[in-house]
Amino acid sequence: MLELPPQLVRLLVTGLTTLIGFLAPTPAETVAPLVPVVRTAAERAESGGERVRRIPAPPRRGADARSGRNTTVTPDDDAPTGGAGEATRPDRGKPADAEPRTSRTGTGATGGSAAGGPTAAATHGWGTPTRVDEFDGGVGGDWGIYDGSGHDGNGRRSPSAISVADGIMTITGTPDGTTGGMAWNPGRMYGRWEARVRSPAGDPDYHSVLLLWPDAENWPVGGEVDFMEISDASRQNVEMFLHYGADNSQVQGDVDIDATEWHTWAVEWTPDHIAAFVDGEEWWRTDDTGILPPGPMHLTIQLDNFGGPGRETQMHVDWVREYDV
């Protein structure tokens, strides 16, 4: 056998080793792919972001247990009634273990004066409103005044509960459960609404409410946006409820504020979020597009009977405005 010089052997071995390493490199360390983190609304709340809470849907009710559709009063020249349109509201659930409240000091006009006070429209540059009612000449023709069964079948909604004096619209709930509500028609897909409201302390079964209701009357699938709901009898706490889905799921928030004074309450609804404001300051928002209303909505103003009130209660509104987005 032919013997190779040691130098040549070392050269051949080095060359073969290099060639093998090039053709079959050592496997590299596996790198895990980056996975985006998606937070639920509840998780965002815990992280200090979205101030909302998912709560269980209330029990489904049959049509006979709800308030039913109300007949709208035909407008005339002497009564503060509106044009065609109506809105009814089934029950809304409220958790016993609600999220901790967000405290703030009221910044609107105080006492009985409705003048002045910051607005979301001015603070955030919403521009010129597309529709306004100052209630200087009664209730305008775009309003539908409720005339029928009360909220969830409690008492009655009557045109007699609506009055206007000195540019202030008042809804009065009587001790026998007769109260009122009104819908601002027509509705729209996306928009901004703002109203200046004062709710004197009253009966805990009377809730002052500003909300958006589906034009299609297809609750709960059509959604519901209660951007100012006051159930606290002393009117020191205001809640927000966004209803969505066939099972009436809800997200909720609340703010501590003296609602017996005048404040401006607003809601902004766009394709990517809903936000609630008081005196120009955003205090609640959801960016979860999967829970936003699926169709046109309209503003309604309601003093709702939630049971057996025994005390007269009022809700005052100085003006309402609607804006494009």
Side-chain angles (χ1 to χ4, degrees):
M1 178 181 290
L2 178 64
E3 282 193 24
L4 298 175
Q7 296 88 343
L8 182 57
V9 172
R10 286 196 297 270
L11 181 62
L12 289 173
V13 170
T14 301
L16 288 172
T17 301
T18 302
L19 180 61
I20 291 171
F22 175 78
L23 295 175
T26 301
E29 181 181 353
T30 302
V31 178
L34 295 177
V35 179
V37 176
V38 180
R39 283 196 172 109
T40 65
E43 289 170 334
R44 287 196 296 271
E46 292 173 358
S47 69
E50 189 179 54
R51 295 192 291 276
V52 302
R53 167 178 171 79
R54 292 191 186 278
I55 59 179
R60 298 294 296 276
R61 299 175 183 269
D64 58 344
R66 294 180 182 158
S67 57
R69 293 174 61 88
N70 284 333
T71 302
T72 303
V73 175
T74 303
D76 59 55
D77 295 333
D78 299 321
T81 58
E86 61 197 74
T88 60
R89 308 181 61 245
D91 199 10
R92 292 180 303 282
K94 178 182 176 182
D97 57 341
E99 289 287 318
R101 300 178 221 174
T102 303
S103 297
R104 52 167 279 120
T105 302
T107 55
T110 60
S113 174
T119 66
T123 302
H124 301 282
W126 289 355
T128 303
T130 56
R131 189 162 49 156
V132 175
D133 198 336
E134 302 281 353
F135 301 115
D136 289 333
V139 177
D142 287 342
W143 290 99
I145 308 297
Y146 302 168
D147 187 14
S149 178
H151 166 75
D152 204 19
N154 297 317
R156 182 174 179 79
R157 288 164 168 159
S158 170
S160 65
I162 311 293
S163 62
V164 177
D166 300 324
I168 304 296
M169 189 278 292
T170 298
I171 302 178
T172 300
T174 61
D176 68 359
T178 300
T179 184
M182 47 200 284
W184 209 17
N185 300 290
R188 59 189 296 165
M189 191 73 182
Y190 311 124
R192 299 171 172 125
W193 292 262
E194 190 160 31
R196 191 153 179 81
V197 180
R198 185 169 76 91
S199 292
D203 194 288
D205 279 336
Y206 274 130
H207 293 198
S208 299
V209 192
L210 297 174
L211 68 133
L212 303 182
W213 183 258
D215 284 9
E217 298 286 342
N218 59 339
W219 190 94
V221 174
E224 177 183 347
V225 184
D226 307 291
F227 63 97
M228 185 210 79
E229 177 164 349
I230 312 175
S231 59
D232 174 30
S234 65
R235 304 323 197 206
Q236 299 299 304
N237 178 256
V238 176
E239 295 173 287
M240 162 83 193
F241 293 92
L242 172 59
H243 301 241
Y244 64 95
D247 62 349
N248 187 28
S249 295
Q250 303 167 37
V251 290
Q252 179 265 353
D254 70 331
V255 58
D256 282 333
I257 192 168
D258 185 0
T260 67
E261 300 180 350
W262 287 100
H263 296 282
T264 56
W265 299 91
V267 62
E268 177 180 64
W269 172 33
T270 76
D272 56 21
H273 73 267
I274 285 180
F277 304 80
V278 60
D279 299 328
E281 179 182 334
E282 181 181 308
W283 68 273
W284 187 94
R285 166 185 288 256
T286 180
D287 299 308
D288 186 347
T289 58
I291 67 175
L292 302 186
M297 309 281 278
H298 57 268
L299 174 71
T300 83
I301 305 173
Q302 300 174 187
L303 182 62
D304 280 347
N305 180 347
F306 269 71
R311 175 184 175 188
E312 182 175 288
T313 300
Q314 293 186 326
M315 172 185 183
H316 307 297
V317 183
D318 181 31
W319 50 257
V320 294
R321 297 167 188 165
E322 183 178 296
Y323 299 82
D324 287 332
V325 294

